[in-house]
Amino acid sequence: MQKIHYDIQDNKILYTDFGDYHLAQTFECGQAFRFDRYKDGYKGFIEKQLCYITLDRDADSLPNCQKTDEGICGKNAVLTVELLHTQPTDELAVKIGQFLSLDVDYTALKNRFAKNETLARAIAFAPGIRVLNQDFFETLITFIISQNNNIPRIKQLCDRLGERYGTKVGDTFAFPTPQQMADITEQDYRDMKFGFRAKYLADAVAKVLNGEIDETTVKSLCYEDAQKYLMQIKGVGPKVADCVLLFSCRQYRSFPKDVWIKKAMAQLFPAGIPTEAEGYEGIAQQYIFHYARHTL
DNA sequence: CGCCAGGCTTCTA
DNA sequence: TAGAAGCATGGC
């Protein structure tokens, strides 16, 4: 963990001193489905607030900065989060920084990973990836939708839920809360073309609402117990549980195994996950996943 | 038409 | 208890 450095100016939070970061690599690597390209960056909800996120493209004109390719930055780069409908507070600045994973020392982490030659290659392919720390409920629902599905359609179905049940902020819909999804029936999901996932979604929402699945409890459990706990939900197996734990619960040893990772592991790491990734297998997984999808 | 998409449940031997 | 079939939908 490292300190989050930020400065608040009007409705913007300016983050500095966080190591490499690349917005497209981070927001389009398949971990988040609710962020869209907007102007020079990305727009989406963080901590229920509509945010416009940009990386300073002039960073390379500052001292001690590398050339930027859409925002792989050196020391003096600035990551700006503009709050489009609220005013920033210190509390929000810290929470948004945590969402963006600015409190994780990626420089140190990648240096450790890169001692493994193959892992170094995967990192070099997309060095600006970060594992975000997303909303628990939203991650649970979106990854139930993700099963046996493709990314454009996952996005489309998630957006459909927002448009029908979420709160409209400006011209954008937030992802619905459990309460906002309380009255959706299995038939409603089928009518919205969720297919066989309909009963899984109904079960997940019901279990969150009645407390059988409790966010605080999940986050207090060790990885193995947390995975079992989440798998009480119909339609949540090891892969979806691992995604929820990695992308919303900071269980960085959680290693979601999908078709791409299985292919990549067989080819790149026949002996298994390298020891250099120990404790942070899930973060290493993101570099491997991205590398595999684009090169294998 | 068949195959596949960041899988899971259920059936079968 | 491993392995295969079935599941909804849409893009190619």
Side-chain angles (χ1 to χ4, degrees):
Chain A
M1 298 291 263
Q2 64 180 13
K3 189 171 158 40
I4 297 171
H5 300 272
Y6 69 91
D7 187 29
I8 294 175
Q9 291 178 14
D10 298 323
N11 63 333
K12 294 175 183 171
I13 308 167
L14 281 61
Y15 295 97
T16 50
D17 203 13
F18 46 78
D20 292 340
Y21 214 111
H22 191 289
L23 296 182
Q25 288 172 12
T26 297
F27 287 98
E28 294 184 33
C29 69
Q31 63 174 320
F33 301 109
R34 292 276 300 158
F35 283 86
D36 293 312
R37 258 228 167 258
Y38 175 69
K39 293 190 206 170
D40 294 325
Y42 286 83
K43 185 160 81 166
F45 286 84
I46 304 176
E47 291 292 319
K48 311 290 183 197
Q49 311 302 326
L50 186 57
C51 297
Y52 169 43
I53 307 151
T54 49
L55 255 177
D56 187 348
R57 283 165 187 257
D58 294 325
D60 53 359
S61 68
L62 298 167
N64 300 321
C65 275
Q66 304 163 8
K67 270 284 183 193
T68 58
D69 157 30
E70 237 185 20
I72 292 175
C73 298
K75 272 186 182 171
N76 296 329
V78 180
L79 198 164
T80 303
V81 175
E82 180 179 348
L83 298 180
L84 297 174
H85 290 87
T86 42
Q87 288 300 312
T89 61
D90 285 312
E91 189 189 350
L92 255 184
V94 170
K95 287 199 165 173
I96 291 172
Q98 289 168 344
F99 177 99
L100 295 166
S101 205
L102 302 180
D103 55 347
V104 176
D105 187 350
Y106 268 69
T107 305
L109 208 49
K110 291 197 295 178
N111 282 340
R112 177 146 80 88
F113 288 171
K115 285 175 186 159
N116 177 283
E117 208 176 305
T118 314
L119 210 41
R121 239 188 307 142
I123 292 170
F125 186 76
I129 291 180
R130 293 251 174 165
V131 172
L132 297 171
N133 187 233
Q134 303 181 65
D135 177 76
F136 170 75
F137 178 71
E138 179 176 331
T139 307
L140 174 62
I141 298 300
T142 57
F143 276 90
I144 288 174
I145 294 169
S146 80
Q147 68 177 264
N148 205 42
N149 215 338
N150 56 60
I151 291 177
R153 215 170 84 86
I154 298 165
K155 255 180 98 58
Q156 187 188 23
L157 290 170
C158 294
D159 289 345
R160 194 171 300 168
L161 276 182
E163 285 160 21
R164 301 227 184 162
Y165 301 97
T167 303
K168 192 174 187 183
V169 179
D171 59 349
T172 313
F173 289 92
F175 195 80
T177 62
Q179 290 73 24
Q180 286 174 320
M181 291 179 70
D183 295 329
I184 310 178
T185 64
E186 192 179 323
Q187 188 57 48
D188 292 333
Y189 288 117
R190 290 194 185 277
D191 294 343
M192 286 187 283
K193 307 300 176 190
F194 284 88
F196 63 89
R197 305 167 192 86
K199 58 178 175 291
Y200 303 158
L201 293 169
D203 188 59
V205 172
K207 285 194 164 87
V208 168
L209 284 172
N210 73 15
E212 265 182 85
I213 296 297
D214 175 62
E215 178 177 348
T216 308
T217 305
V218 180
K219 291 181 175 174
S220 73
L221 297 172
C222 70
Y223 165 69
E224 287 81 4
D225 290 345
Q227 196 201 35
K228 277 184 216 154
Y229 183 84
L230 288 174
M231 284 169 65
Q232 293 178 102
I233 303 167
K234 286 180 198 151
V236 174
K239 158 67 171 58
V240 171
D242 279 346
C243 285
V244 174
L245 292 172
L246 179 60
F247 300 137
S248 77
C249 299
R250 292 189 174 245
Q251 281 285 2
Y252 292 135
R253 43 178 299 213
S254 171
F255 191 95
K257 293 167 200 69
D258 64 16
V259 285
W260 284 102
I261 279 295
K262 285 172 188 167
K263 199 191 293 187
M265 289 304 290
Q267 210 166 316
L268 303 173
F269 302 98
I273 310 165
T275 55
E276 287 82 359
E278 197 179 346
Y280 297 88
E281 291 84 351
I283 293 179
Q285 190 264 17
Q286 278 307 98
Y287 295 104
I288 299 168
F289 175 77
H290 193 265
Y291 181 69
R293 286 213 62 158
H294 293 273
T295 63
L296 297 185

